[in-house]
Amino acid sequence: MLVFVALFSAAAGAAVVKWAVVSNPSSWIDGPYGACVGGDYLYVVGFDSGPGAVSEWRIEKRDKSSGRLVKTWALDPTDGYDVLTSCVVVGDRLYVVGYAGFRWAVLQLDLDLSSLRYVEGAAGVPLSVASDGQHLYIAGFQYIDFVPHWRVEKRRLDDLSLASALLLNSTEGQGAAWGVGVSPAGYIWVAGNNATGWRIEILDRNLSRVAVLRPGLERGALGVVFDEGGNAYVYGDRGVVKFSKDGMQLARAVGFDAMEAAYAGGRLYVIADISRLLVLDTELRKIGEVYLPPEIEKHQRIYGIEVPQKVSGSFDGGTLYMVGSTVVNTLSGDAWLIYAVSTADVDLYLLAGALTTAAPVAMAAAALAGAYLAVKRRRRSAAALA
């Protein structure tokens, strides 16, 4: 089912949501966990509850300008829980990570979803993947005596073989690496948590440690994005912290939970406290915000927000692609929800001062707010299985 949503502000007169799509592949629970862009297409990865499957891998290829479905791909590798969590396009290949019966899985497909190379790895769950154009960098956790510990992998693009791995098997490493990113300066940033709260590892490309950052925030860091100068914006529970490319803390914005973030055009777009889209400047000062009405929040959840990575050559100058879920009806369970949102139009609304008052724009907030809540809960529940 294809649903287009055009939301207009009386003051600005422009649409925030470029398109929105609902896909309901099964009669039970389905969910997308990640998205990536390659050329003219958006690839969304997650799972569906296919015939006879507890959950099976699912990928949807869509036209990024319209949301039109081009092709689907599904595979049920085990009789247990099989979920894809993150993806990246490098050259003419789509790389996807996930788990097959709670073992790491790394997939390589062509961009038409017609060929597959697939390897399994450690017991646990990979949560995020990034690339420098030469290798894959994957972050997640590995079970050691049923306790999750940080694990980061570097894999070769051609055959997915393991080049190196970092496993934090000490008490300090108990937790999960939730997000990974490759900075313009060439460092690998990994954001996560342990028993004391936020933990951030800066690694070189051989996964040797450059620095460990502990900003003193509770719970955990969930991800990292970068600006053109290589500064890192690490977001997670309790807020956002800006670091220089070398790891010096430059600014922080706290007092909210940052579920997801994206940097575009000199601004940071942050999904905060489930119900707000915050727009911050590069010093983490608030430019504006959008609220999600409670009646929308009860029926709609957004898992993630994606700005196309530069390594894929597909950054389109200000479109945020979001994946999440929605309840079609009480009998069919959760369905896939995918949005494309114009950051330029969000900025226009902020300039017009209409975002927090115009009812149609409050609906636009529904397409943005609540990012990553459900996926973080599901991923954390996986970690809790230990």
Side-chain angles (χ1 to χ4, degrees), residues 269-287:
Y269 299 84
V270 181
I271 306 300
D273 299 331
I274 307 171
S275 60
R276 287 190 294 161
L277 168 66
L278 291 179
V279 182
L280 308 177
D281 68 14
T282 56
E283 300 306 315
L284 302 185
R285 296 171 297 210
K286 186 172 78 173
I287 297 172

Side-chain angles (χ1 to χ4, degrees), residues 275-344:
S275 60
R276 287 190 294 161
L277 168 66
L278 291 179
V279 182
L280 308 177
D281 68 14
T282 56
E283 300 306 315
L284 302 185
R285 296 171 297 210
K286 186 172 78 173
I287 297 172
E289 62 185 8
V290 183
Y291 282 89
L292 172 65
E295 63 270 19
I296 299 298
E297 181 184 331
K298 287 188 293 186
H299 297 290
Q300 186 166 283
R301 296 177 296 283
I302 300 295
Y303 292 173
I305 183 170
E306 174 73 14
V307 173
Q309 298 193 25
K310 290 185 178 180
V311 68
S312 69
S314 59
F315 180 70
D316 55 12
T319 301
L320 304 179
Y321 298 95
M322 288 157 292
V323 299
S325 79
T326 187
V327 177
V328 175
N329 58 61
T330 56
L331 297 178
S332 68
D334 291 355
W336 287 38
L337 176 65
I338 307 159
Y339 281 99
V341 172
S342 166
T343 60

